[in-house]
Amino acid sequence: MSASAPPVDGAAAPLSATPPAAGPAGSASPAPAAGPGPADGPPPAAHEGAQQPTGTEVPSDESFSFDHTRMEAQDQDLQQPEVLNGRHRHERLRQSSRMLIGGDLVSGDKLVMMLGGREPAPLQRLSTQLSEPVRHAFLPPQEWESTRAALEARRLVILRADPCQGKTIAAIRLLQSPSDRPIYNLDRSVDLRAFAGWLDQDARSEQPLPRGAGFLLCEPVGWDDVRGWMLQQLEAALERIDARFVLALSTESVLRDEDVREYVVPLGRAQPHRDILVSHLTWRLDGDAELAAGLLAGTALNTYVTDLCRPQVSLKVPADLAVVISQERTDDGVDLDRIRQRMTERHTGDLGIWFDKLPDLPSRCLAIALAVLNGLSYESVVRAADRLVARLDGPAAGFAGAQPVALRPWHDPFRFSRRELARRLRAEIRPATVRGTWGPVTVDTIQYAADGYPAQVLNHVWREFQIHRELLDWLLDLASDVNEDVHTWAGTALGVLSRHAFDFVYAQVLHPMAIAPHNWRNGEVVAYALRVPAADERTRPLVKAVVNGLYTNSASPTGQATAARVHGVSLGPHGAQEALMALDRLATIDHRDIAVGIADGLTDLIMQDEQRNVPMVIERVSSWLHDRRRTLVGQFIFLRLALSLTTEKTVSTPTDGARRSITWPTLLELADQRRQLRPALVGMWSEVLLSGAFNRLVERALVAWARLAEASAPVRTPFCGLLVDIAARGAWAEQTVRRLSTDWRAPDNLYPTPQTAYAVEAALDARNDLS
């Protein structure tokens, strides 16, 4: 779990020793940022004669008349734009997609077995319904032999693949060697910290699990808390009982511990969907490959197969289609209409019957709210359901004389207990540790037991009932919720619905949100929504078209800011270079909202692929600081990146070898690990420090980094080295760094960082002694 940098008071005094802003307030265009000062002298002449802020002056009436959207006005604005942790935001978005859209997870009922007759463990024997098709119809993906060799070499592997690439089926196939191996499917909520102990206890029992067993775990819900030492303990326990363990994990899941990476085995690209269909159909037809080819030869069925088995569709779909074709074939071939109906019923028939049998409006609204907020806290889901009930029904009304009076409650809140509601909704309630506003907290989360239910419920309600306007208004209400999780999940749900009626959803909700001023959340929600259709090659051109309309409309800076977010979070995964070029052009516009959108879009690009995208982003932002048209925007964006990006790493304590987590500023950690990035980072910090354009934001960012350094010596050392390198730019730079460190340990500082301050001063003294 990443921890964001501690917030800093937005009203902190500006840097009194820094030069003034790059240009006078109200100037037609910003002056270029100043370069480093001379070795022994004042800042560059561009700043001479200009009034320097002291932090104690009382502003005149004219100081409140500036344009708050201009970049040069930002350091005077007391209403600074909020900076959220970019990594946390990315994780929420990834989790919302997994909860609402899902992947290729093992389905079926979840049972609890007793290990050793005492301790419960959430596992069950893998059913033949899953194992037999894999045994007889499995088509190996690319590089399968190396994947198999990895499991032979060690007891535990993490099979990692893109969503819908058949990682679960491949994991089962790995465990089917030898063919008589008993395989157990673990519930996603299993505690890997305790599982090794369970296995040891079971091995000492009178009726232990058979030796040589295989364990399958798909997308564990507590993956964020898994560390390498847990897997090491589990591997040792597996060795003692000659067992194997395969953990199937999506590439969207973050590897938070370097020690986990040694267990990762990437799954090769899957075979084409049509080949998988042929393999399964041949097996279903008792090995008659000629009959299977004949059934699939028809033009109409071929077209249907092509439409159904798109690249982003789960590999379970062609396997299901093979079952239906084998069951519906006749001597005359196949009835395509009947196959279509059966495939639709297979996914929605049971769900429709279940939904229609829910007893009342509150129950149905709770089912819809759970589909949208699947996996969030029980309280959040219930609150959202109440808001939907109010829209669809409203309070019953009585009369006191001639005046209507609301009668509350208009439905019995004690009609069903929470346990009964979960049973009726086919849902599970689980305790979970989540990231709250003030730190980790334990809550009861609720989610559908079947992974595909959230999207299916939304699809069913949208297609079968005439509540489109009410549903969109309700989602729009949730999108403005102060809870970051709620508005992230709501945005993803809007994206799911846009796949059914893109023009309608965009015109009614997304476009008004995209151009509405004074609400930064709107652009974020629109970007979250559009990433769903952008992931589909068929609807991606629609996303590009609407984004181009926002991007080129200079009359709506808010729309351009939204376009920046969409380029980062929605289109970035499908072309990082193109997204970066689009953001580069927007960086010429002097507008705070657009700059915020660009910064958050760059954060999204970094989070999507740190190894590949970080050098591109750093190089581009660094170039902006030396471009007259982009210098102020570039400085502002760099400081937002510095504030919004953190990285959590797990390290061993030298004294006792215990594992603990430390939080780094991401840019500092990257520069420490990849030394070629360090000169650019030092140069950018020097530019923003010396230009004086964003004194308060510079102080805020450096204080945030100092607090992370205060909490951890491994962070403190490179942070001190960074400041020493900045101070080496000249006497004025060293004076500024020393003044900052003095402030960090001042007696009146309510949140001091004395260890960091003294370490910085000692490093500066040591450099001066050497020179």
Side-chain angles (χ1 to χ4, degrees):
M1 181 184 301
S2 297
S4 61
V8 183
D9 185 359
L15 299 172
S16 59
T18 57
S27 61
S29 60
D40 292 292
H47 299 289
E48 291 178 1
Q51 182 179 359
Q52 296 192 17
T54 64
T56 60
E57 298 169 351
V58 178
S60 64
D61 293 340
E62 288 80 10
S63 66
F64 292 98
S65 63
F66 59 79
D67 181 356
H68 289 254
T69 67
R70 296 290 297 275
M71 298 310 303
E72 61 190 6
Q74 296 314 300
D75 211 46
Q76 306 170 55
D77 193 352
L78 298 180
Q79 299 274 332
Q80 294 286 327
E82 188 174 359
V83 182
L84 298 180
N85 188 290
R87 191 173 300 275
H88 297 174
R89 186 177 65 223
H90 179 74
E91 291 169 1
R92 281 194 300 269
L93 186 57
R94 177 180 54 83
Q95 181 72 356
S96 71
S97 299
R98 188 168 64 194
M99 284 295 179
L100 270 66
I101 302 171
D104 54 349
L105 305 180
V106 172
S107 60
D109 296 332
K110 294 179 173 65
L111 306 177
V112 172
M113 298 183 64
M114 302 299 290
L115 286 181
R118 292 183 293 275
E119 288 289 336
L123 60 87
Q124 63 171 335
R125 187 74 178 262
L126 192 70
S127 69
T128 56
Q129 184 180 1
L130 283 171
S131 62
E132 288 305 294
V134 177
R135 189 182 305 278
H136 299 288
F138 177 74
L139 278 185
Q142 297 176 11
E143 303 175 356
W144 180 244
E145 289 304 318
S146 62
T147 305
R148 289 182 55 189
L151 187 60
E152 294 175 358
R154 63 186 319 156
R155 298 285 174 178
L156 187 153
V157 298
I158 299 173
L159 194 62
R160 201 161 185 243
D162 294 336
C164 303
Q165 283 296 305
K167 56 185 174 296
T168 299
I169 302 304
I172 294 173
R173 186 59 176 166
L174 284 176
L175 292 171
Q176 286 180 337
S177 179
S179 59
D180 60 347
R181 182 197 303 277
I183 302 175
Y184 296 91
N185 175 30
L186 275 68
D187 187 278
R188 294 175 61 204
S189 63
V190 66
D191 183 0
L192 290 179
R193 187 191 308 264
F195 194 65
W198 281 337
L199 291 179
D200 286 338
Q201 178 178 311
D202 175 78
R204 296 190 296 269
S205 68
E206 295 180 358
Q207 295 180 328
L209 293 172
R211 290 184 62 82
F215 299 97
L216 172 66
L217 175 60
C218 300
E219 298 285 359
V221 295
W223 174 251
D224 286 350
D225 296 324
V226 173
R227 296 294 182 264
W229 66 265
M230 301 180 194
L231 303 183
Q232 293 162 7
Q233 288 185 351
L234 179 54
E235 192 172 37
L238 294 169
E239 179 75 26
R240 290 189 284 271
I241 61 173
D242 191 30
R244 293 290 191 277
F245 192 113
V246 178
L247 193 157
L249 192 68
S250 169
T251 51
E252 294 182 347
S253 297
V254 180
L255 303 178
R256 301 190 171 282
D257 188 350
E258 288 298 323
D259 292 342
V260 170
R261 294 183 182 275
E262 66 181 277
Y263 294 92
V264 174
V265 177
L267 182 64
R269 184 170 296 278
Q271 300 292 340
H273 286 66
R274 183 176 290 274
D275 293 350
I276 293 173
L277 170 61
V278 171
S279 178
H280 279 264
L281 183 57
T282 300
W283 172 62
R284 296 284 178 183
L285 297 176
D286 299 324
D288 193 337
E290 185 177 346
L291 176 58
L295 292 174
L296 295 174
T299 303
L301 182 57
N302 251 316
T303 302
Y304 175 66
V305 170
T306 301
D307 182 66
L308 185 66
C309 298
R310 301 182 302 276
Q312 67 273 17
V313 168
S314 169
L315 298 185
K316 187 176 182 298
V317 172
D320 289 346
L321 181 57
V323 175
V324 173
I325 293 175
S326 67
Q327 293 174 347
E328 293 299 327
R329 73 181 181 89
T330 64
D331 293 339
D332 298 326
V334 294
D335 184 346
L336 182 56
D337 291 336
R338 179 63 181 162
I339 289 175
R340 290 179 186 274
Q341 180 183 351
R342 283 283 308 278
M343 287 298 291
T344 302
E345 290 174 351
R346 194 175 185 92
H347 294 287
T348 64
D350 174 67
L351 182 140
I353 295 171
W354 158 77
F355 187 87
D356 294 342
K357 285 186 176 180
L358 291 174
D360 50 25
L361 177 66
S363 298
R364 294 190 180 99
C365 288
L366 188 60
I368 297 171
L370 180 56
V372 171
L373 304 180
N374 191 51
L376 296 188
S377 70
Y378 177 78
E379 294 80 8
S380 295
V381 174
V382 170
R383 179 170 176 263
D386 288 343
R387 292 156 78 173
L388 183 57
V389 170
R391 285 184 176 276
L392 297 178
D393 187 15
F399 288 87
Q403 298 296 323
V405 178
L407 303 177
R408 295 176 180 269
W410 58 92
H411 61 270
D412 183 4
F414 302 105
R415 183 179 181 188
F416 300 118
S417 67
R418 188 175 76 165
R419 180 180 300 176
E420 176 62 15
L421 280 174
R423 186 190 67 80
R424 288 176 178 270
L425 294 179
R426 300 180 176 181
E428 299 173 338
I429 296 177
R430 301 170 176 170
T433 301
V434 301
R435 184 183 293 109
T437 304
W438 309 108
V441 294
T442 301
V443 299
D444 285 338
T445 62
I446 182 169
Q447 66 184 75
Y448 282 111
D451 296 300
Y453 254 42
Q456 291 179 33
V457 169
L458 285 176
N459 296 343
H460 178 73
V461 171
W462 184 264
R463 288 172 170 170
E464 299 297 328
F465 303 102
Q466 290 71 50
I467 60 168
H468 303 131
R469 183 69 259 174
E470 293 84 354
L471 191 60
L472 292 179
D473 286 345
W474 172 68
L475 286 173
L476 182 59
D477 184 27
L478 294 183
S480 62
D481 197 284
V482 295
N483 186 302
E484 298 294 333
D485 289 336
V486 171
H487 98 262
T488 301
W489 264 245
T492 304
L494 284 167
V496 171
L497 295 180
S498 74
R499 296 189 300 188
H500 300 296
F502 184 89
D503 286 358
F504 183 79
V505 173
Y506 183 75
Q508 296 295 317
V509 178
L510 297 182
H511 181 68
M513 291 180 70
I515 63 175
H518 312 307
N519 190 341
W520 65 270
R521 288 179 183 272
N522 282 345
E524 190 166 81
V525 171
V526 171
Y528 291 170
L530 291 180
R531 76 186 293 265
V532 180
D536 190 331
E537 292 182 355
R538 299 176 306 167
T539 51
R540 193 178 305 151
L542 301 176
V543 176
K544 290 183 176 180
V546 301
V547 172
N548 284 340
L550 297 171
Y551 182 86
T552 57
N553 184 9
S554 58
S556 175
T558 303
Q560 292 178 302
T562 300
R565 288 305 319 279
V566 177
H567 273 294
V569 74
S570 306
L571 298 176
H574 314 288
Q577 281 283 7
E578 292 83 355
L580 196 56
M581 290 173 61
L583 297 179
D584 181 83
R585 289 188 290 273
L586 283 178
T588 61
I589 302 175
D590 183 7
H591 197 284
R592 180 182 69 182
D593 293 347
I594 296 175
V596 170
I598 296 171
D600 291 349
L602 292 175
T603 298
D604 296 323
L605 287 177
I606 289 174
M607 290 297 97
Q608 288 156 15
D609 190 341
E610 289 187 31
Q611 294 298 315
R612 187 184 64 169
N613 292 348
V614 162
M616 292 192 303
V617 171
I618 293 298
E619 180 183 4
R620 189 61 58 99
V621 175
S622 180
S623 71
W624 292 347
L625 270 61
H626 302 282
D627 183 340
R628 180 182 60 82
R629 297 166 301 177
R630 298 176 172 89
T631 180
L632 290 182
V633 172
Q635 291 181 45
F636 182 80
I637 287 171
F638 167 70
L639 291 169
R640 281 189 67 90
L641 292 177
L643 274 167
S644 68
L645 291 172
T646 60
T647 298
E648 185 173 281
K649 300 185 69 175
T650 301
V651 298
S652 298
T653 304
T655 54
D656 54 8
R659 309 288 289 178
R660 68 183 185 94
S661 295
I662 61 174
T663 303
W664 284 73
T666 297
L667 297 182
L668 180 64
E669 191 268 340
L670 288 171
D672 186 58
Q673 297 299 318
R674 302 162 69 172
R675 305 300 291 182
Q676 68 273 22
L677 298 178
R678 183 177 179 84
L681 181 63
V682 172
M684 288 188 289
W685 269 119
S686 299
E687 289 289 340
V688 298
L689 201 64
L690 296 175
S691 78
F694 301 105
N695 289 331
R696 296 170 63 217
L697 192 57
V698 167
E699 236 182 65
R700 183 180 175 190
L702 284 175
V703 166
W705 284 28
R707 289 178 181 172
L708 294 179
E710 187 76 6
S712 173
V715 178
R716 195 179 310 134
T717 300
F719 179 58
C720 292
L722 172 73
L723 293 181
V724 167
D725 287 349
I726 294 172
R729 296 295 181 103
W732 180 86
E734 180 173 345
Q735 177 188 358
T736 303
V737 172
R738 286 190 180 275
R739 192 198 61 77
L740 284 169
S741 65
T742 301
D743 290 343
W744 296 342
R745 58 177 174 81
D748 58 348
N749 189 331
L750 300 182
Y751 198 156
T753 54
Q755 293 184 80
T756 301
Y758 287 123
V760 169
E761 292 167 358
L764 291 173
D765 292 340
R767 182 187 70 86
N768 292 338
D769 291 342
L770 290 176
S771 61

